[in-house]
Amino acid sequence: MKAIPDCMFHSRELACKKPYGAVKAGETVEFSVYPRRERGIQYVTLWVEEDGGQPEAFPMRWYGLAGARDRYSTSFTPDHAGLYWYYFTVDGSDGPVYAMRGYGGRCEILDTLGDKYQLTVYDTAYRPPSWFGEGITYNIFPDRFCRDRMPVQPEGEGVAPRVLHENWDDIPVYQPDGNGEILNNDFFGGTLRGVIEKLDYLESLHVRTIYFNPIFQAYSNHRYDTGDYKRVDPLLGSEEDFQTLCVEAAARGMRVVLDGVFNHTGYDSRYFNGRGRYDSVGAHQSQESPYYRWFDFQQWPDQYGSWWGIYTLPQVREMDESYLDYIIDNEDSVIRRWLRLGASGWRLDVADELPDAFIRRLNAAAKQEKPDALIIGEVWEDASNKIAYSERRRYFQGGELDSVMNYPLRDAILAFLNGGTAEHFAETMECIRENYPRDVFYNLMNVIGTHDTARALTILGVSEEEWHMDRDGRAHYALPPDRLESAQRRLRLAAVIQFTMPGSPTIYYGDEAGRQGFEDPFNRRTYPWGAEDRALLGFYRKLCALRADSDTLARGGLRFLRCEGALLQYERETEHSRLLILVNRGHHAVRTHARAVYAVDMLDGAEFDRADSRGIHVTVPPETAYILRCFGTP
């Protein structure tokens, strides 16, 4: 028997809404509300509207008593995928009121319309490839991970002269040039063969997916200004090197995911050719160029749409048929070509700036080439209800994205560890879990650091004043010993949460080795080979091994327990195993209990004995996390 909720309606309680969260098209959703009997209810109505449509009324029937409450129920069956919204009206002796979405899924009784509940409905055939979320991902910024040789000036069509660092430990160029521009044209010479040499290292971290930031020829070291989608940047290596990497990775049980930048190209590219370095006739050179229609010229050749107004990143018209053919459709398209050469999927840069139709077409082509190909989107917010440029996006309704970067998790982790509450963390995650299809929630790219964010260790250690240092100060900054020690403890807590939540825990190269750094380019310094923080790296290895060996962490259910203040508590559970995660980010020990007869901490093997009929009592020291394997129920 389902427990009666302590409020009129709670969207996360099966007694009120079944099934939980997002549902399949054609699946019946049962709704029940429990108004207090003294309200003198005359009738209750469920209102459901498809996004942008008109609400439809579903009268709710009285189904008897539930303690001091009445129970009214009805059902709704969405016949197609989409985003739906719902709420209730209650007519009683005090007149009509609205039951709208309140904090934590509970309803809020209002005299006028308020926030509506969300219902995500997805296609019945929608099944993202599960291999990604079940394993650990390692994110490599190609120029800065590892090189197998000293860099030399590359040659060939379209290649611009580059600033090359001989010293691997140099600070990246961060000051503007004489024209006031930061060119991002300095390179440390990381290579694909360097990555191949470090596959054993990645295997020691139990990595199952290597996600590369862009590897294609470009002017800049970040390579988000693509010069040629069909050529590996010559400083990185060759197409043969890429194939060898994919083969060698596969032999270790790893897959490769590439970064696709399809909203814009480079000013210095085969397609735009703003500086005339390529033999092709680019759109900037002639209106007769085969690429001219790709770009949005207001006044040819120097007035054109560009990403966030940055002239070196001219935007493309993604739905131009010749662009679609080149990127997606033809047999040698960019998407198909690199999958055929060994990649297993694509991460789509600025996915919220790509048309939905473009993403669906790309996903379909990728699945035709490889049925288990993965498409991940860069979306920083709740992707289930994202609005970009005044348009609601369709990411999870079937055939669009298989995963997104889980920035809400990152933000919630860092906020919690920097003084936020466990309640807020749990609520943030519960909102995502409720709104996303389950297969997506278990397939998310769970990041803490990325090339777009300051290093996690720095975020967890700097003072408020230090955020306002000038660029010279930030370039040479390192945490003082006392705050470094505290930041390291917090980073361990962050990693425990990251590795025990559903989805793929994703390590940004060097975070596990203690790399620090503010924003770009300081967050993109080289991996510190030979100077790693051995203690921190050892902790990550232990955590990676635990995650890789645990079916419970890969597939188990998630349930938040009593989360208060500095103590975060949640369970991961399967039919055969139950793990309790306790994270105390505070400065004082916290005592709690677990419903178990016996438990062992999976991180250091500490044992906990039963204390009384409630279960075992656990004292969690300050800035400490436990992952308890629980046995028996008292």
Side-chain angles (χ1 to χ4, degrees):
M1 180 178 178
K2 304 185 187 74
I4 300 171
D6 61 358
C7 60
M8 189 179 109
F9 179 80
H10 193 308
S11 64
R12 299 170 192 163
E13 297 283 351
L14 292 179
C16 295
K17 174 183 171 292
K18 184 180 179 182
Y20 174 90
V23 300
K24 299 175 182 177
E27 185 174 19
T28 297
V29 187
E30 300 173 3
F31 292 96
S32 294
V33 297
Y34 300 83
R36 289 195 173 275
R37 196 165 309 127
E38 65 263 23
R39 292 188 64 90
I41 301 303
Q42 298 171 4
Y43 50 89
V44 182
T45 305
L46 165 71
W47 298 87
V48 182
E49 61 188 61
E50 191 169 3
D51 194 49
Q54 295 298 313
E56 181 180 357
F58 295 84
M60 304 185 77
R61 291 178 55 193
W62 184 76
Y63 276 85
L65 307 178
R69 298 175 181 271
D70 292 307
R71 175 183 168 223
Y72 288 81
S73 300
T74 191
S75 63
F76 165 68
T77 305
D79 59 6
H80 62 274
L83 193 63
Y84 295 77
W85 306 92
Y86 67 93
Y87 59 96
F88 307 91
T89 54
V90 180
D91 288 79
S93 56
D94 297 331
V97 293
Y98 295 89
M100 311 299 297
R101 180 174 64 83
Y103 181 80
R106 290 177 169 81
C107 71
E108 184 177 11
I109 304 302
L110 302 173
D111 293 330
T112 58
L113 281 174
D115 292 333
K116 301 167 187 175
Y117 288 96
Q118 176 178 325
L119 178 65
T120 305
V121 180
Y122 58 97
D123 194 291
T124 55
Y126 179 61
R127 290 300 300 272
S130 62
W131 56 262
F132 177 70
E134 293 174 356
I136 296 166
T137 299
Y138 195 87
N139 176 191
I140 291 177
F141 192 83
D143 184 57
R144 310 289 163 83
F145 180 63
C146 183
R147 64 189 183 191
D148 69 318
R149 61 181 184 270
M150 292 296 291
V152 296
Q153 286 291 348
E155 298 178 351
E157 182 189 2
V159 178
R162 299 175 176 187
V163 177
L164 300 178
H165 293 269
E166 291 188 7
N167 184 357
W168 185 249
D169 297 321
D170 280 350
I171 298 172
V173 174
Y174 62 91
Q175 293 287 18
D177 65 7
N179 297 320
E181 291 186 85
I182 298 176
L183 297 177
N184 293 308
N185 195 34
D186 63 313
F187 291 77
F188 287 80
T191 61
L192 295 180
R193 289 201 169 274
V195 177
I196 293 171
E197 289 181 0
K198 298 300 182 182
L199 287 177
D200 287 345
Y201 170 74
L202 298 181
E203 190 172 20
S204 77
L205 293 172
H206 299 269
V207 169
R208 289 293 171 263
T209 303
I210 304 171
Y211 156 51
F212 283 99
N213 295 112
I215 66 170
F216 307 122
Q217 182 176 324
Y219 176 85
S220 300
N221 53 47
H222 53 69
R223 300 187 172 98
Y224 280 93
D225 54 336
T226 311
D228 189 335
Y229 288 108
K230 295 188 177 181
R231 186 185 182 194
V232 172
D233 191 284
L235 198 57
L236 276 176
S238 65
E239 185 176 298
E240 291 73 23
D241 292 336
F242 176 76
Q243 290 178 288
T244 300
L245 169 61
C246 291
V247 170
E248 293 288 339
R252 293 169 169 81
M254 303 178 196
R255 299 181 186 239
V256 171
V257 170
L258 296 177
D259 209 325
V261 187
F262 303 129
N263 165 264
H264 50 269
T265 70
Y267 183 81
D268 237 1
S269 69
R270 175 177 302 282
Y271 320 104
F272 200 77
N273 213 2
R275 294 190 177 94
R277 299 189 202 273
Y278 288 83
D279 294 339
S280 61
V281 178
H284 188 264
Q285 296 167 301
S286 172
Q287 296 182 60
E288 301 303 315
S289 166
Y291 311 115
Y292 175 77
R293 291 181 56 83
W294 290 14
F295 299 95
D296 182 22
F297 286 100
Q298 288 89 52
Q299 184 174 335
W300 182 84
D302 292 323
Q303 293 183 24
Y304 50 88
S306 60
W307 186 74
W308 284 32
I310 302 172
Y311 83 91
T312 56
L313 303 175
Q315 279 185 298
V316 298
R317 299 169 61 242
E318 296 96 341
M319 298 309 293
D320 177 82
E321 284 300 326
S322 66
Y323 185 72
L324 287 166
D325 189 61
Y326 185 85
I327 298 295
I328 298 174
D329 291 337
N330 74 49
E331 281 302 305
D332 192 44
S333 70
V334 174
I335 292 298
R336 298 176 188 271
R337 172 185 173 81
W338 293 102
L339 290 174
R340 201 175 298 134
L341 288 171
S344 292
W346 290 89
R347 176 263 194 190
L348 303 183
D349 184 56
V350 293
D352 53 3
E353 301 191 36
L354 297 171
D356 288 346
F358 180 90
I359 294 176
R360 283 195 299 273
R361 199 152 158 177
L362 186 152
N363 193 319
K367 297 294 193 292
Q368 288 173 1
E369 197 64 44
K370 283 187 177 178
D372 65 348
L374 176 77
I375 304 299
I376 305 171
E378 180 197 9
V379 183
W380 287 57
E381 304 85 6
D382 182 335
S384 69
N385 54 35
K386 168 81 176 183
I387 295 177
Y389 301 96
S390 303
E391 181 181 344
R392 182 81 70 184
R393 307 310 305 270
R394 295 171 56 95
Y395 289 142
F396 302 145
Q397 295 169 26
E400 298 94 14
L401 296 176
D402 300 315
S403 174
V404 291
M405 302 176 75
N406 198 356
Y407 276 103
L409 171 63
R410 171 195 179 269
D411 296 344
I413 288 175
L414 296 177
F416 171 60
L417 295 178
N418 274 333
T421 66
E423 295 96 324
H424 182 267
F425 176 89
E427 174 60 18
T428 300
M429 288 302 98
E430 287 287 47
C431 282
I432 296 294
R433 185 163 73 107
E434 186 175 15
N435 290 348
Y436 287 22
R438 187 183 190 278
D439 288 343
V440 172
F441 186 70
Y442 278 70
N443 214 38
L444 293 172
M445 179 185 275
N446 289 342
V447 298
I448 291 181
T450 73
H451 75 285
D452 284 324
T453 65
R455 290 278 182 177
L457 200 57
T458 298
I459 293 173
L460 294 169
V462 298
S463 66
E464 181 65 31
E465 295 77 18
E466 288 167 332
W467 279 111
H468 302 292
M469 288 187 298
D470 61 21
R471 286 179 70 80
D472 281 328
R474 295 201 296 277
H476 296 89
Y477 180 82
L479 290 168
D482 59 333
R483 276 191 280 129
L484 175 59
E485 184 180 351
S486 174
Q488 288 168 335
R489 289 196 300 270
R490 291 182 180 185
L491 182 58
R492 288 183 174 90
L493 302 186
V496 167
I497 300 171
Q498 178 192 28
F499 275 70
T500 56
M501 291 294 291
S504 177
T506 301
I507 302 171
Y508 181 52
Y509 81 105
D511 276 358
E512 79 281 17
R515 181 52 91 190
Q516 302 179 39
F518 285 91
E519 78 288 349
D520 164 31
F522 314 119
N523 58 352
R524 303 174 186 180
R525 293 193 65 172
T526 54
Y527 185 100
W529 297 111
E532 302 94 332
D533 181 326
R534 293 292 177 182
L536 185 60
L537 181 55
F539 174 82
Y540 265 89
R541 282 201 168 109
K542 183 184 297 184
L543 192 57
C544 287
L546 192 160
R547 175 62 168 75
D549 292 339
S550 176
D551 182 71
T552 307
L553 292 178
R555 303 178 185 87
L558 170 68
R559 185 166 73 98
F560 284 97
L561 303 175
R562 187 177 178 182
C563 296
E564 294 183 339
L567 184 64
L568 179 63
Q569 304 182 71
Y570 55 95
E571 284 185 341
R572 300 295 310 279
E573 189 172 14
T574 66
E575 183 180 350
H576 306 292
S577 171
R578 180 162 56 92
L579 299 179
L580 172 63
I581 295 87
L582 301 173
V583 181
N584 178 13
R585 63 116 175 104
H587 299 297
H588 304 284
V590 179
R591 190 165 177 81
T592 187
H593 76 278
R595 53 183 187 93
V597 174
Y598 176 70
V600 175
D601 178 26
M602 304 296 287
L603 285 175
D604 63 18
E607 299 181 2
F608 302 87
D609 296 323
R610 178 177 178 178
D612 56 33
S613 60
R614 297 176 67 195
I616 60 168
H617 285 249
V618 182
T619 298
V620 188
E623 295 186 314
T624 298
Y626 288 141
I627 303 176
L628 300 182
R629 177 76 180 271
C630 297
F631 302 90
T633 303

